[in-house]
Amino acid sequence: MTIEINNRPYDLPDDARISLLDFMRERLEFFGSKKGCNQGACGACTVLVDGERILSCLALAAQYDGRSVTTIEGVANGDELHPLQALFVEHEGMQCGYCTPGQIMSGIALKSELERGAPSNVSSDLTVAPRLSRDEIKERLSGNLCRCGAHNGIIDAVAAYVGGEEQ
Amino acid sequence: MSYISPTKIDEALEVLSRGSGKIIAGGTDVYPSAQLGQHPDFYMDVTRIDGLKRISVSKDIVHFGSAVTWTDIINADLGSAFDALKATAREVGSVQIQNAATLAGNVCNASPAADGVPPLLALDASVELASRAQGSRLLPLAEFITGVRSTVLRRDEMVVGLQVPVPPSTMTSAFEKLGSRRYLVISICMTAVNLVLDQDNRITDARIAVGACSAVAQRLPALEASVIGQRPADVEIKPEFLAPLTPINDVRGAAAYRYDVVQEQCRRAIMQAASR
């Protein structure tokens, strides 16, 4: 049983009860994904599995046998920041920084969801394509809390990343 | 402790016949409910079983395999009778949870505040179960869930899928949910309504279900009967129509508040379904 994390394979733990988040942080020392609430209510542990965002605190590592996980450690290209990381700096999308890895992973997934044609999350019509409005972005980032209240900067950064209107 | 991921139903049923395991799909309710010092004999993952990730539509039945996620439902092409279920899907947890969590898991977890149960009750859904010893059986959803976090699922049995009889093409639906915020909270109260209107804008069929106001979400038969023949704007929601509900006082809201909310949600959901 192996899991790929940031393009490198790792043996899964023998104990099936370990969460993906604990496995990454405590066994592999990937400290980027944060443990905020550990009960699926804050989004700080958001990672991508085969490009889709999930909460690593609500997952057992064993569930993702053979799958490919991307964490915040895996998004930059060497010393060159991922475009969304650079936009978080430019728009001051953080204060303490604890929620930032989860916010960035969510923002990256959000863009690919829109590109894959996910329907709008704010329209009363459940099949219409989303407009790249702030409301749409806010709604789709609702699974990531920032207790410092840096949401305005976060939304600015993600809006710039997806090419939406900055109002 | 082992983690088993069968790829065939027969293999899965054989695994379940071996002992007291825990079935896992998205896992979003499994990990938080684990208790220190207690663990099942094994976990059995159903998401790699052939066919269980599929939503299929036949002449009479819409079938949701037990590994179908909320995101699968959001992206599926279903009729307007399923709009309430779709609206539920996009408000369950958060996008991250919708990508992993399943409809069948929501039903099996049997929380009184399970968002998926009211829309499924309003769709007359049934639960398809299978075991090696007793083969398969089909139970109406209302008979499957028996109380707070309790179902009739036997130890050696699994949910294979959920079945919904194909609704009339003119049926529309709507979902109303109240929480302290829209995402990542436990619902205070939610209402699903499925309606058919005639050409005179009068209701000819109504199914109304309410969650988080009783141990198990309930249909409201007296309200459903009373709205037949009425225009949506004229519907009156009398307190006696809410008899199946037994809301409690808890940290999220008082019982009296929940009664008020239900009445308003029924009005809004009826108007919204009628406008679709």
Side-chain angles (χ1 to χ4, degrees):
Chain A
M1 306 232 307
T2 58
I3 188 168
E4 194 175 275
I5 300 175
N6 300 327
N7 297 319
R8 279 191 55 191
Y10 296 91
D11 288 336
L12 281 164
D14 291 334
D15 189 340
R17 295 172 299 172
I18 189 166
S19 75
L20 178 57
L21 179 63
D22 284 344
F23 177 58
M24 294 189 304
R25 288 181 59 88
E26 294 179 13
R27 306 282 176 94
L28 306 180
E29 301 194 348
F30 281 114
F31 297 121
S33 307
K34 297 296 187 279
K35 186 180 274 192
C37 67
N38 207 34
Q39 55 173 321
C42 79
C45 66
T46 301
V47 297
L48 309 185
V49 175
D50 296 326
E52 283 194 22
R53 50 177 156 160
I54 63 151
L55 297 179
S56 59
C57 82
L58 292 188
L60 300 176
Q63 280 177 262
Y64 295 100
D65 179 22
R67 308 281 298 272
S68 175
V69 177
T70 308
T71 71
I72 191 70
E73 289 96 335
V75 300
N77 182 12
D79 287 339
E80 189 190 329
L81 293 180
H82 182 281
L84 185 54
Q85 288 178 305
L87 287 164
F88 264 68
V89 174
E90 184 185 333
H91 293 276
E92 297 186 48
M94 79 281 289
Q95 186 173 319
C96 83
Y98 199 77
C99 73
T100 313
Q103 301 279 4
I104 289 176
M105 300 317 289
S106 249
I108 292 170
L110 186 159
K111 186 174 185 184
S112 58
E113 286 156 16
L114 296 176
E115 287 167 354
R116 282 202 306 269
S120 169
N121 236 21
V122 292
S123 161
S124 62
D125 181 333
L126 298 153
T127 55
V128 73
R131 289 177 49 241
L132 298 180
S133 63
R134 281 182 84 83
D135 281 349
E136 186 78 45
I137 291 165
K138 281 183 195 171
E139 206 73 7
R140 288 174 178 276
L141 283 177
S142 288
N144 293 79
L145 302 184
C146 169
R147 292 187 66 174
C148 302
H151 287 289
N152 288 332
I154 292 167
I155 291 156
D156 289 343
V158 175
Y161 178 58
V162 302
E165 295 289 311
E166 287 180 48
Q167 293 147 19
Chain B
M1 200 186 60
S2 60
Y3 192 89
I4 307 166
S5 291
T7 56
K8 304 280 180 214
I9 290 272
D10 289 351
E11 197 187 333
L13 299 183
E14 193 277 318
V15 168
L16 290 176
S17 70
R18 284 185 219 159
S20 190
K22 176 84 185 161
I23 297 172
I24 183 166
T28 56
D29 281 322
V30 171
Y31 187 75
S33 65
Q35 300 288 318
L36 195 66
Q38 293 178 2
H39 57 84
D41 294 344
F42 55 84
Y43 284 110
M44 191 191 79
D45 185 325
V46 299
T47 62
R48 299 179 196 224
I49 298 174
D50 278 352
L52 291 199
K53 268 197 78 65
R54 203 174 303 142
I55 301 173
S56 56
V57 184
S58 68
K59 193 163 131 295
D60 306 318
I61 296 287
V62 181
H63 185 270
F64 298 89
S66 58
V68 167
T69 64
W70 291 108
T71 298
D72 294 332
I73 289 166
I74 291 170
N75 292 327
D77 185 13
L78 301 165
S80 55
F82 292 87
D83 280 357
L85 187 66
K86 283 194 166 212
T88 306
R90 69 180 192 181
E91 290 190 18
V92 169
S94 63
V95 177
Q96 292 97 311
I97 291 172
Q98 292 154 18
N99 282 339
T102 61
L103 184 59
N106 192 242
V107 167
C108 290
N109 191 50
S111 162
D115 286 338
V117 176
L120 287 169
L121 287 173
L123 284 165
D124 280 336
S126 294
V127 184
E128 189 187 338
L129 303 154
S131 68
R132 191 159 125 138
Q134 316 222 10
S136 59
R137 57 179 178 146
L138 189 65
L139 284 178
L141 177 57
E143 291 174 29
F144 176 74
I145 305 176
T146 52
V148 177
R149 299 198 177 274
S150 114
T151 70
V152 298
L153 190 72
R154 287 191 291 254
R155 203 186 67 171
D156 65 340
E157 201 171 34
M158 66 175 279
V159 171
V160 176
L162 292 150
Q163 292 193 4
V164 173
V166 169
S169 61
T170 52
M171 182 171 267
T172 57
S173 66
F175 178 71
E176 285 286 325
K177 163 171 153 177
L178 177 73
S180 55
R181 66 191 287 264
R182 188 175 305 186
Y183 300 93
L184 299 175
V185 292
I186 293 172
S187 302
I188 295 166
C189 186
M190 59 279 189
T191 301
V193 168
N194 276 41
L195 287 184
V196 177
L197 297 174
D198 66 14
Q199 289 177 332
D200 198 25
N201 196 35
R202 290 183 188 276
I203 297 168
T204 59
D205 188 2
R207 306 163 187 175
I208 302 166
V210 172
C213 287
S214 43
V216 183
Q218 296 289 323
R219 289 271 291 264
L220 300 178
L223 177 57
E224 291 175 4
S226 82
V227 303
I228 299 297
Q230 296 202 47
R231 293 197 169 94
D234 299 333
V235 165
E236 208 186 332
I237 310 207
K238 296 180 181 157
E240 59 262 34
F241 296 157
L242 308 180
L245 304 180
T246 51
I248 57 169
N249 295 303
D250 69 8
V251 291
R252 285 179 281 276
Y257 176 60
R258 287 189 159 99
Y259 273 121
D260 283 350
V261 171
V262 171
Q263 294 176 53
E264 185 57 31
Q265 284 187 335
C266 288
R267 270 185 217 104
R268 288 185 192 182
I270 288 169
M271 292 305 290
Q272 204 192 337
S275 72
R276 280 187 164 144

